Amino acid sequence: MNGTPRLRSAFPSTGQKPSTQHESPSISSTPSGSMGLGVEPSAPAIPFNVVDAPSQRLYVSIVYVGLMLWRLYDYFGLYSDNTDGFWLFTKWVGIDTVFLYGLSGLQIPWLQWSSSTFTVLFIIHGLLDWLLMFRIPIPLFSWLGAFTKILYDRELAVSERKVKPASILQNSSLILGKQIIHILPEGSAILNPEQASFCIGSSKYSATLPIQVNQTMPVQIDLLRVDLDNNERETIVISAKDVRKMKKQADRKYSLNDRTSPRTLLYTVKRTGLYRLLRVLDESKLEVRRSPSDAIVVLCPTAFVKPVSQHKCKGELSDFEIHVDATPPLKIRYSKIVNRDDQGHSVLSIHPENMISPIASQRGPNSLVTLDHDLDVSWARPQSINIPLNESLGVSGGWQYMIDEVMDAFNNVANYSDRRNHNPVLQRTTKAQLEQQFLVHERPKLAFQGCDAQHPIKVEKGKLKNLPFRISSSGPGQLGNGPYTILYQFTTQEDLLPDDKRGESSQLKEVLVKDVQRGLDVREPGLYTLLSISSEYCEGEVLEPSSCSLANPPEPDLSISYEPIPDKCAGNSIGLAVDLHLLGTPPFRVYYAIKQRDGDVRPQIVDVDLLHAQLELRPSNAGHYTYEFNRLSDAVYHTPRSLAHKSLVLEQDVKPPASAHIFDAELRRKACVDEPTTLIVQLTGEPPFKLEYELVHQGKRMKHMIKDIHGSPYYLTSGPLGDGGEYILALTALTDNTGCKVPLAEEVAIEVSMQRPRASFGSIDGKRTTSALEGKTVGLPLRLQGEAPWTLCYRHTEDPYGAISSKIVHHNNDHVDVDKEGTYEIIDVNDATCPGTVDSSASHFAVNWIPRPVISILQGPLVHQVRDRYIKNDVCQDDEDVTDISFAGMVPFSFEYEQRLKADHGSHSVSYKKASSGLHQDSIKMETSEAGEYEYKFTKLGDMSYNHDHQRFQPVIIHQRVHPRPSALFVEVGKTYKYCQDEKTGGQVVPIMLVGQPPFHLELEIKHHGASKPEIMSFPRVETKSYNLQISQRHLALGTHSVTIRKIIDSRGCQRQMDGNAPHILVSVADLPSISPLEDRRDYCAGDRISYTLAGAPPFNVFYTFEGRERKATVPTTDFRRLAEKPGEFVITAVSDQRSTDTCKTRTEIAKTIHEMPNVRISKGRTSTVDIHEGGEAEILFEFGGTPPFHFTTLSKGKKSEVLETKNEVSHGYSKTIRASDEGVYEVVSIRDQYCAFPTQKVQGRGGQKLLTNR
């Protein structure tokens, strides 16, 4: 925005993209690499305005990855093609050379390398090409294993947990503490040592200045203060009482033993100004050395927004100011939120014109220059600055500007964002001062809809018309609900000039629109032109079409002319031909009425699409007719206009010519023999009439005449038609009262049947009786004569109500469907035209039902009936069993039954089975595969004649109990039970689970792997379902045995015979394992490894005690090794292997003693600092842990960690004290007791140094 005023040193205008980072202070500096040389970096080969630096680096990375993939493709191709790799090696060395040289020439930032770096990269790529193209194997897995060993080095310790050996062998906690001896220096004092900034104001009423004193106790402090407003100077004297109070507060931050650390005295000031340390006196009244440093206290920066109107229109400028009170140069950071979308932060750097600040010429941002006598500090005074923000509001919605932070020249920061987030009270009270909110409205757009100047809207005169317009938004945002102010210009039709120019009498009108859907209500015809639109806050835009023409067409009008239509015979008028002449807007609708002398009035409507039309009025009956045209409407004037004032009335006496028409849609009629037929004839004309007709049959023509017919229509009845065949009845002439004879051409054909219809029942197998399945529909054959269709009436003679049924039959040999047993009788019949007769000798037909099938159970000693069901004797599971059944009916029989099982174990089940039988007696197999209660329910039965009918069938139910077979199962199938060869040690108990009704008879089979014949063990009476088997040693030998359950029988007599693949267990009789140590020594140190060798069949279980706890270790090999993690007694107590058990194990006692590592503490294990004066001495205390005597090495280092002195010492007790007078750091580097040693580093001392003296 060119119109945005800003300071010379300000950031770009707010219309640019806001920055999300803080700008660094405007302090000029020179890069260290080009200081004073005037050398600029080389320009890139591709300018950054074409492709920026990050994109160039991205493209180079893509090319490099593509080359690497191509390189790997050639590498894998060597294995498939088995070709020589020398050419590929040469090729890729050349490609790498071109790529690296080309990359250096592009001069891309971060990819500009020195010649040495280029050489290293070239060598690395050449080495990679050599390894790949000559297929030299790379030991990646070995490297990976070694790297994993470095990262994860863990061993099992005696406590059976994985530990890191380095944590034990390199335990830095074994040597703790060091003694630091300092020679006290001279005292010093400095004001504001951290070069901090200070401010007062707002809610901060004072500032605390730090004065650091070192190695001294001041009794008086003098400060110089320079006033910022008038440069006046004054001296502030801090008394000894105040100094002691500040010293006491400073000592609280340190321990009582720490008296040498520098103390920071805090002095509170309440006025702005420049403060300098003038003089510091210690307890001896001597001045303490002062370091040149100043502290300046200014007013804290503040800022607020000058409020403006919150309502803006899209495209307007924000146009508001931020007022800042601070010491320049300063920075202000503000944030912007648009429609709840955070747009980030913007930083403005403000430096007033013609202002010279010494801050800009300092080396450090927080240090002040030395105050001269003529130095003017007025530059530090706060200034009031108005910062304009003029940004285009290009998006509708909510805009919010918030001041986040203000920082002055001394880095004093007023952070308003933190205050808003953590202080709700401040958030409510200062929101108006720190924020500027805008509600940006969309500008409305206006245009006529469905109307313009070339296509006017036509409306009736004086009628109110709504001109439709559309109000839309200028952007994606929504418009408000109004109201809108619309300004338009109205020009009458008389004032319109050519080319849509308007006369001087045009009117400007303004209307307030609240409903945007209603449009503009107008009444006067003319041209309406939209000029402008505005909402409550914004001016809008008028789009095309902006003009709409309203026209009042002339009202519709009608004039008529007519001519009579004469009769060619009598010369009378038979109608009128009326010409309609119309004015208005087509189409027209003409309303007229036809009146007769008897008062009958018939209103009529005719639609006319043109301005001229002809209407023919031809009445069908004679009489006096009056035609009155009374109303008219057109396309604009929809309400019919009355034409009564024009008296458009026509009268006429009409005598229509005579005519006759047969009033029947069928041109071909049917009639019965020996019966007359009647026709309806419509007559027109002036009665009485004389009708002539003729009847033609079989080449004979009979003429007839009927006179004195006075009415219409007339019913013409012929005589009886005695012969069958076709008759033609034709109307030949008609004469009315005028005497004019009119020839006629109306005729109709009459088809007369040859005989009367007749009906009777047909026969089935020569009989009028049949047998059928019960309930099945039976078709009784019919024999019909006549013309289809026939209407047949019949009845069921056994029906108590005597109901008569009727049926429409379409075929001569059709049938009638019946579904009841009994005799049926035909009562009456009619064909399509005539009534008929019934043959009495064949009018009856009898229907009989076939019997249904029945099923029953044959009873005997194994089956008996209890109430409505049959009970069958109990059986054992998997035993064979059947049940006999008998049938009554016609073979073959088909039946279905449900087999329901209520299982002893598991869910209930239902199965559905189907069967068939060709005999009247059969049997079904009973299901015994699963134990439980079985129910067999016969649900369906059918035979050769009948399918199943659930309504007439009574189910038959059989019950039977199936007992389960007993079973025996080892609780742990497949387990190997360990037995020792020594019978005294005993063996494991083998648990067996038995299922069934006790007592049981159990047989087991035991087979040694080396024997061919198994041995049978029998247990005749097992009373419980859980049996613990103890195998006697007389059945066992050294090696492995297989034990299998052979047979089991329960008390019900049910038995189960096991097959050869039955589940089994293994019994292993093994020899005892052994263990022996690899070393003969008994004493070990923490961190050592204790190793043993094992004999037997791995894996082994080693049992030992450590720290008073019994432990067990599983060893997969014959080597057993553990890391001595901590001190204690390590005793091996027993060992077992794969062939033995924990109860059958080798007892032993191999003891090892693990000693703790020696340790030493200097100064109670802490870093202690002792300050002494030149010539003094300090004591160093050493405390030991372990087993005396202790041999240790001490070391002293100087300020630069150089070794000043080393010495070996011996202590026969657990503590020792030595004296030292030289400055340095004293520590222990190694220690050894009676059993163990802990070295940390090799120390080399310098000859000629002073040795530590023993106490």
Side-chain angles (χ1 to χ4, degrees):
M1 268 142 296
N2 298 329
T4 304
R6 59 182 184 269
L7 301 176
R8 176 178 300 175
S9 61
F11 272 35
S13 60
T14 57
Q16 299 181 0
K17 181 178 180 180
S19 173
T20 58
Q21 299 179 353
H22 291 284
E23 293 291 333
S24 51
S26 56
I27 300 175
S28 61
S29 60
T30 303
S32 58
S34 59
M35 183 179 297
L37 299 178
V39 180
E40 296 182 355
S42 301
I46 302 176
F48 293 154
N49 57 358
V50 177
V51 181
D52 56 10
S55 299
Q56 293 188 29
R57 289 192 290 270
L58 175 61
Y59 299 151
V60 169
S61 302
I62 294 174
V63 172
Y64 184 76
V65 171
L67 291 176
M68 189 59 67
L69 294 176
W70 186 15
R71 193 192 318 264
L72 293 176
Y73 174 78
D74 288 348
Y75 168 69
F76 289 112
L78 289 173
Y79 287 93
S80 60
D81 300 339
N82 197 17
T83 58
D84 186 17
F86 177 76
W87 182 86
L88 291 176
F89 171 74
T90 307
K91 162 189 165 182
W92 280 107
V93 169
I95 292 175
D96 292 337
T97 303
V98 172
F99 176 78
L100 294 175
Y101 270 110
L103 183 60
S104 176
L106 291 177
Q107 294 295 325
I108 301 174
W110 299 1
L111 299 179
Q112 296 172 313
W113 301 316
S114 61
S115 58
S116 59
T117 304
F118 174 81
T119 303
V120 172
L121 291 176
F122 180 77
I123 293 173
I124 292 174
H125 283 75
L127 180 61
L128 179 62
D129 296 335
W130 178 65
L131 292 174
L132 293 178
M133 303 309 158
F134 289 104
R135 293 181 286 182
I136 298 176
I138 303 174
L140 293 179
F141 292 102
S142 300
W143 294 350
L144 182 60
F147 183 70
T148 305
K149 184 69 174 177
I150 295 174
L151 294 181
Y152 186 81
D153 185 13
R154 299 288 189 275
E155 290 187 24
L156 275 175
V158 293
S159 60
E160 289 304 316
R161 65 186 184 92
K162 286 188 175 290
V163 298
K164 191 173 183 180
S167 64
I168 302 175
L169 300 176
Q170 301 175 8
N171 189 359
S172 60
S173 65
L174 297 177
I175 300 178
L176 294 178
K178 61 178 65 176
Q179 183 77 53
I180 302 174
I181 300 177
H182 282 167
I183 305 299
L184 292 176
E186 296 181 2
S188 63
I190 182 174
L191 174 65
N192 193 14
E194 302 294 335
Q195 297 300 318
S197 58
F198 307 94
C199 70
I200 58 176
S202 183
S203 59
K204 189 176 181 182
Y205 302 105
S206 63
T208 303
L209 305 181
I211 304 173
Q212 188 182 80
V213 295
N214 187 21
Q215 304 298 327
T216 184
M217 175 57 196
V219 294
Q220 181 180 332
I221 300 176
D222 296 343
L223 295 177
L224 173 66
R225 173 184 174 271
V226 180
D227 191 274
L228 300 181
D229 295 331
N230 49 25
N231 286 335
E232 291 183 358
R233 305 180 183 183
E234 65 171 326
T235 301
I236 301 174
V237 178
I238 305 176
S239 64
K241 179 180 179 182
D242 294 335
V243 172
R244 285 194 299 271
K245 185 177 180 181
M246 292 188 295
K247 179 66 166 55
K248 184 178 180 180
Q249 294 178 351
D251 289 339
R252 295 176 180 174
K253 300 179 180 179
Y254 300 88
S255 64
L256 297 176
N257 297 327
D258 187 2
R259 299 183 179 181
T260 58
S261 297
R263 300 298 196 264
T264 300
L265 310 182
L266 301 179
Y267 180 69
T268 302
V269 297
K270 297 183 179 180
R271 291 184 295 170
T272 62
L274 182 76
Y275 291 86
R276 170 170 292 183
L277 197 61
L278 285 182
R279 187 174 62 167
V280 178
L281 299 179
D282 60 6
E283 294 175 334
S284 59
K285 300 299 181 180
L286 297 177
E287 282 197 34
V288 178
R289 179 171 55 87
R290 294 173 286 107
S291 298
S293 179
D294 299 327
I296 188 166
V297 180
V298 296
L299 289 177
C300 293
T302 59
F304 63 89
V305 175
K306 290 186 175 181
V308 296
S309 175
Q310 293 187 355
H311 294 281
K312 294 284 185 177
C313 297
K314 183 177 178 181
E316 291 184 352
L317 301 178
S318 56
D319 194 17
F320 71 98
E321 292 182 347
I322 298 177
H323 181 83
V324 181
D325 292 323
T327 301
L330 56 89
K331 293 180 181 179
I332 181 169
R333 182 168 63 94
Y334 67 93
S335 59
K336 180 175 62 176
I337 298 176
V338 179
N339 291 329
R340 298 183 179 179
D341 184 15
D342 193 351
Q343 303 294 314
H345 303 281
S346 299
V347 180
L348 298 179
S349 181
I350 309 301
H351 195 297
E353 297 181 3
N354 302 324
M355 178 185 177
I356 301 176
S357 174
I359 299 271
S361 60
Q362 299 173 29
R363 293 182 179 274
N366 296 323
S367 61
L368 298 176
V369 296
T370 305
L371 179 63
D372 297 331
H373 291 286
D374 57 350
L375 181 64
D376 184 9
V377 294
S378 60
W379 55 271
R381 300 171 187 168
Q383 298 185 20
S384 297
I385 303 174
N386 292 326
I387 305 171
L389 290 181
N390 229 9
E391 183 175 359
S392 177
L393 306 176
V395 178
S396 62
W399 289 60
Q400 185 178 14
Y401 293 86
M402 295 178 292
I403 301 175
D404 295 331
E405 184 179 279
V406 179
M407 183 172 65
D408 64 4
F410 301 98
N411 291 338
N412 294 307
V413 177
N415 196 322
Y416 297 108
S417 61
D418 290 343
R419 297 184 189 179
R420 281 193 298 266
N421 296 333
H422 298 90
N423 192 342
V425 177
L426 181 65
Q427 181 179 3
R428 292 192 297 268
T429 56
T430 62
K431 182 176 181 181
Q433 293 81 16
L434 299 177
E435 298 182 3
Q436 176 62 53
Q437 296 183 356
F438 293 113
L439 183 58
V440 180
H441 302 274
E442 290 281 0
R443 296 181 182 271
K445 291 184 177 180
L446 177 64
F448 279 117
Q449 189 174 13
C451 175
D452 54 28
Q454 287 72 31
H455 302 84
I457 294 179
K458 298 178 180 180
V459 68
E460 300 179 20
K461 292 181 180 180
K463 188 175 181 180
L464 190 64
K465 180 63 178 177
N466 181 268
L467 301 183
F469 56 76
R470 181 180 70 256
I471 298 178
S472 59
S473 172
S474 59
Q478 298 292 329
L479 287 174
N481 295 327
Y484 298 94
T485 301
I486 297 177
L487 179 65
Y488 66 91
Q489 185 180 27
F490 169 66
T491 306
T492 61
Q493 293 180 345
E494 295 78 9
D495 293 337
L496 281 176
L497 300 177
D499 299 332
D500 290 340
K501 294 183 179 180
R502 300 162 179 81
E504 297 180 355
S505 60
S506 298
Q507 305 175 16
L508 294 178
K509 296 185 179 181
E510 187 176 82
V511 63
L512 185 65
V513 177
K514 295 182 179 180
D515 186 4
V516 297
Q517 304 296 332
R518 180 174 178 80
L520 191 64
D521 292 331
V522 296
R523 192 185 303 271
E524 300 181 17
L527 183 65
Y528 294 84
T529 303
L530 300 174
L531 300 179
S532 66
I533 181 175
S534 61
S535 63
E536 184 179 359
Y537 304 102
C538 303
E539 291 290 337
E541 180 183 1
V542 176
L543 305 178
E544 294 296 334
S546 62
S547 297
C548 180
S549 179
L550 182 67
N552 292 144
E555 297 184 6
D557 194 12
L558 172 66
S559 61
I560 61 175
S561 60
Y562 65 93
E563 291 181 358
I565 302 175
D567 185 10
K568 296 179 180 180
C569 173
N572 299 327
S573 176
I574 61 174
L576 293 175
V578 182
D579 293 325
L580 304 179
H581 307 282
L582 298 159
L583 292 177
T585 306
F588 300 92
R589 174 164 287 186
V590 180
Y591 300 82
Y592 67 96
I594 301 176
K595 300 179 182 179
Q596 290 183 272
R597 201 168 273 177
D598 57 0
D600 183 21
V601 179
R602 289 178 294 160
Q604 303 289 329
I605 299 176
V606 61
D607 292 325
V608 181
D609 295 329
L610 303 174
L611 296 177
H612 299 278
Q614 188 178 61
L615 179 64
E616 288 190 359
L617 303 175
R618 292 174 178 261
S620 59
N621 297 320
H624 181 78
Y625 292 86
T626 301
Y627 306 96
E628 180 180 0
F629 295 86
N630 47 26
R631 290 183 299 167
L632 177 66
S633 64
D634 64 0
V636 176
Y637 296 88
H638 299 288
T639 303
R641 305 288 175 170
S642 176
L643 300 176
H645 62 285
K646 303 194 70 172
S647 299
L648 301 178
V649 179
L650 300 177
E651 294 187 6
Q652 183 185 27
D653 290 324
V654 177
K655 296 181 180 179
S659 64
H661 302 280
I662 299 176
F663 193 72
D664 198 335
E666 297 180 2
L667 299 180
R668 191 176 188 87
R669 297 172 60 87
K670 293 184 178 181
C672 298
V673 66
D674 294 330
E675 292 186 2
T677 185
T678 301
L679 300 178
I680 301 175
V681 180
Q682 183 72 33
L683 303 174
T684 59
E686 187 176 354
F689 301 98
K690 180 175 67 176
L691 178 62
E692 299 178 18
Y693 71 96
E694 59 186 11
L695 193 63
V696 181
H697 177 62
Q698 295 181 354
K700 297 179 181 181
R701 186 184 303 273
M702 294 175 288
K703 295 186 178 182
H704 301 272
M705 179 184 295
I706 303 174
K707 299 180 180 180
D708 296 328
I709 300 175
H710 295 275
S712 179
Y714 177 71
Y715 292 89
L716 177 61
T717 302
S718 67
L721 305 178
D723 297 331
E726 184 181 44
Y727 289 81
I728 302 298
L729 192 151
L731 303 181
T732 56
L734 179 66
T735 305
D736 63 356
N737 192 35
T738 60
C740 291
K741 185 175 181 180
V742 178
L744 301 177
E746 294 280 335
E747 68 179 27
V748 64
I750 302 173
E751 185 72 26
V752 180
S753 60
M754 303 299 293
Q755 61 181 359
R756 289 186 174 276
R758 184 181 181 87
S760 64
F761 279 119
S763 62
I764 299 177
D765 297 332
K767 299 182 293 181
R768 291 185 177 85
T769 180
T770 184
S771 297
L773 300 179
E774 183 180 353
K776 187 176 181 181
T777 300
V778 179
L780 304 182
L782 298 175
R783 300 295 180 261
L784 303 172
Q785 296 177 1
E787 185 176 357
W790 292 269
T791 301
L792 183 70
C793 295
Y794 65 95
R795 69 185 181 91
H796 185 211
T797 58
E798 283 82 4
D799 189 354
Y801 301 101
I804 297 176
S805 303
S806 63
K807 181 180 179 181
I808 304 299
V809 183
H810 297 274
H811 304 288
N812 299 79
N813 299 310
D814 209 335
H815 63 276
V816 59
D817 294 330
V818 297
D819 57 0
K820 294 180 181 180
E821 187 179 21
T823 303
Y824 292 86
E825 179 186 6
I826 300 176
I827 299 174
D828 191 15
V829 66
N830 292 317
D831 69 355
T833 308
C834 306
T837 60
V838 178
D839 185 358
S840 59
S841 62
S843 61
H844 291 78
F845 203 105
V847 178
N848 301 315
W849 292 148
I850 299 174
R852 290 184 170 272
V854 179
I855 186 172
S856 60
I857 307 298
L858 296 179
Q859 300 188 46
L862 301 180
V863 181
H864 59 280
Q865 185 174 5
V866 178
R867 292 188 295 275
D868 58 344
R869 60 192 60 201
Y870 296 89
I871 306 298
K872 192 166 176 59
N873 290 355
D874 297 350
V875 294
C876 291
Q877 185 177 356
D878 293 330
D879 288 352
E880 294 291 335
D881 193 18
V882 296
T883 298
D884 295 329
I885 56 177
S886 63
F887 301 98
M890 297 182 65
V891 294
F893 300 94
S894 62
F895 59 95
E896 296 182 15
Y897 61 94
E898 296 179 1
Q899 177 183 301
R900 294 181 179 271
L901 169 62
K902 185 178 180 182
D904 293 341
H905 303 285
S907 60
H908 298 180
S909 63
V910 179
S911 60
Y912 301 92
K913 297 186 178 182
K914 298 181 180 180
S916 60
S917 176
L919 303 173
H920 285 85
Q921 186 172 342
D922 206 339
S923 62
I924 63 170
K925 182 179 179 181
M926 311 302 286
E927 180 66 38
T928 60
S929 61
E930 189 173 356
E933 293 285 343
Y934 283 87
E935 179 186 276
Y936 301 85
K937 183 178 181 180
F938 292 88
T939 56
K940 293 183 180 181
L941 176 64
D943 62 356
M944 182 178 182
S945 301
Y946 284 96
N947 292 325
H948 173 71
D949 188 348
H950 66 277
Q951 294 180 350
R952 294 179 174 84
F953 178 73
Q954 181 65 34
V956 178
I957 301 175
I958 304 175
H959 272 275
Q960 186 179 35
R961 170 69 185 178
V962 177
H963 296 295
R965 288 183 180 272
S967 64
L969 182 67
F970 293 109
V971 175
E972 296 179 276
V973 177
K975 179 180 178 180
T976 300
Y977 291 88
K978 308 293 184 179
Y979 279 74
C980 298
Q981 190 176 12
D982 185 6
E983 185 176 0
K984 294 183 294 183
T985 58
Q988 292 177 293
V989 174
V990 180
I992 301 177
M993 184 64 65
L994 303 164
V995 178
Q997 184 68 31
F1000 302 94
H1001 178 85
L1002 181 64
E1003 290 185 5
L1004 300 179
E1005 178 182 284
I1006 181 168
K1007 181 180 180 181
H1008 191 277
H1009 282 188
S1012 59
K1013 184 177 179 181
E1015 183 179 355
I1016 305 299
M1017 294 186 298
S1018 180
F1019 302 90
R1021 192 171 182 84
V1022 179
E1023 299 290 345
T1024 62
K1025 294 184 178 181
S1026 179
Y1027 182 63
N1028 292 324
L1029 174 64
Q1030 181 74 40
I1031 303 176
S1032 176
Q1033 287 285 343
R1034 63 186 178 88
H1035 298 288
L1036 301 175
L1038 187 63
T1040 304
H1041 303 72
S1042 175
V1043 181
T1044 307
I1045 299 174
R1046 184 177 183 181
K1047 185 172 67 173
I1048 181 173
I1049 305 173
D1050 67 355
S1051 61
R1052 299 190 185 100
C1054 299
Q1055 68 174 353
R1056 184 183 298 274
Q1057 185 78 30
M1058 306 296 182
D1059 57 11
N1061 296 323
H1064 64 279
I1065 62 168
L1066 298 178
V1067 177
S1068 176
V1069 181
D1071 201 357
L1072 299 178
S1074 63
I1075 184 171
S1076 59
L1078 292 180
E1079 297 178 304
D1080 294 335
R1081 62 176 177 148
R1082 178 184 176 87
D1083 297 309
Y1084 287 82
C1085 296
D1088 291 346
R1089 292 169 176 83
I1090 307 174
S1091 301
Y1092 301 87
T1093 181
L1094 300 167
F1100 299 90
N1101 290 329
V1102 178
F1103 301 86
Y1104 63 92
T1105 60
F1106 182 72
E1107 292 183 331
R1109 293 176 52 192
E1110 293 185 357
R1111 304 174 187 266
K1112 176 182 176 182
T1114 301
V1115 184
T1117 64
T1118 58
D1119 294 328
F1120 174 57
R1121 186 177 72 170
R1122 287 296 182 268
L1123 180 67
E1125 176 189 2
K1126 49 189 173 180
E1129 286 294 326
F1130 181 77
V1131 182
I1132 302 291
T1133 58
V1135 61
S1136 64
D1137 64 355
Q1138 183 184 14
R1139 294 175 300 191
S1140 61
T1141 61
D1142 291 346
T1143 59
C1144 181
K1145 56 190 175 183
T1146 302
R1147 304 291 178 176
T1148 184
E1149 186 173 353
I1150 304 175
K1152 304 291 182 181
T1153 303
I1154 303 173
H1155 300 277
E1156 65 174 341
M1157 296 292 289
N1159 60 81
V1160 60
R1161 303 289 187 270
I1162 305 175
S1163 300
K1164 304 295 182 181
R1166 299 187 298 270
T1167 299
S1168 176
T1169 303
V1170 178
D1171 296 325
I1172 62 175
H1173 293 283
E1174 187 71 29
E1177 286 187 344
E1179 292 183 349
I1180 305 176
L1181 174 63
F1182 298 87
E1183 296 175 310
F1184 305 99
T1187 305
F1190 299 97
H1191 300 263
F1192 63 97
T1193 302
T1194 61
L1195 176 145
S1196 64
K1197 294 186 292 185
K1199 294 182 179 180
K1200 296 184 180 180
S1201 298
E1202 73 275 10
V1203 179
L1204 302 178
E1205 183 180 27
T1206 60
K1207 186 175 181 180
N1208 296 323
E1209 298 285 346
V1210 178
S1211 175
H1212 295 278
Y1214 288 96
S1215 65
K1216 185 173 184 177
T1217 302
I1218 63 176
R1219 293 179 176 273
S1221 60
D1222 292 337
E1223 185 176 42
V1225 179
Y1226 294 83
E1227 57 185 347
V1228 176
V1229 294
S1230 66
I1231 183 172
R1232 177 169 57 86
D1233 66 355
Q1234 183 179 356
Y1235 300 103
C1236 307
F1238 181 70
T1240 58
Q1241 61 181 352
K1242 294 182 179 180
V1243 184
Q1244 295 181 355
R1246 296 184 303 175
Q1249 293 181 345
K1250 184 176 181 180
L1251 299 177
L1252 297 175
T1253 58
N1254 293 336
R1255 185 176 178 179

